[in-house]
Amino acid sequence: MLPSMHNVTYITKEKLMSAQKQLQQKQKVSSEHINSSELIKTPLLICGLGNPGKEYVHTRHNIGFAVIDELAHRYRVGYWKSEAGCQTAIITITTSTGQKQEIILAKPWDFMNTSGGPLSKLARTRNISAEQILVIHDEVDLEEGRIRLRVGGGLNAHNGLRSIANKLGTQNFMRLQCGISRPPGRMTVANYVLKELKGDSLTTFLIEAQTAVDKIENILQEK
């Protein structure tokens, strides 16, 4: 049995409720759906983007990994394996029609800008099309804490998305964008997304991961 390969931090229920209230006061909108719901399919592969290594666990760039870890935690995943350059696990959901469906959770075990290689290899191995993949990633052009679901669209200079689109040969995969806002002052984007989070910033990060999982569960239950 392979573990998730890095430590995952969870927060207490009391701290979560308090922080959620603070976050709601700061934000007018916490999430949004795309209007074209018919384009959203039940994903067979849910992939979170991030960088491997303990030093990256609590960084904004690793929100995708954090969401996958929280989703695995909710579904009581106890077994991870190495497959096609990814860490993978299986969860089983019940669809709106009452059918059981297995969903693959994946974390490409490569750095962000080359994550497309492992993901595309895993998709080919499992015979999963690009349209059946949901990619979770950080988004600097969304307010911190805001979640947006979309299909296709531009890559917005995101190296992870660019790598995936290049290797899959299409941009028509589902994305769950987790807003992190743009860096303050003159801080570079690279330094901002790779800065270790602590205190309130870490709490906000963990809450956003949980909010993203709520959104994913809504997608899975609606289909």
Side-chain angles (χ1 to χ4, degrees), residues 27-96:
Q27 298 174 187
K28 294 181 179 179
V29 180
S30 61
S31 62
E32 65 178 24
H33 280 291
I34 63 170
N35 293 326
S36 303
S37 58
E38 68 274 7
L39 298 176
I40 300 298
K41 301 179 180 180
T42 298
L44 299 183
L45 172 56
I46 302 178
C47 172
L49 298 188
N51 289 308
K54 291 182 179 180
E55 66 271 33
Y56 298 111
V57 172
H58 293 143
T59 61
R60 293 179 177 88
H61 224 20
N62 269 44
I63 187 68
F65 278 11
V67 173
I68 291 293
D69 285 333
E70 174 61 24
L71 188 57
H73 176 68
R74 290 195 191 182
Y75 282 84
R76 299 182 180 180
V77 168
Y79 181 78
W80 290 83
K81 71 175 183 178
S82 180
E83 181 179 3
C86 299
Q87 292 297 305
T88 65
I90 302 292
I91 63 173
T92 302
I93 66 165
T94 302
T95 67
S96 59

Side-chain angles (χ1 to χ4, degrees), residues 137-153:
H137 65 91
D138 59 315
E139 178 56 61
V140 296
D141 284 338
L142 277 184
E143 181 183 0
E144 186 176 44
R146 188 176 180 183
I147 307 296
R148 183 168 66 190
L149 176 65
R150 66 185 304 181
V151 176

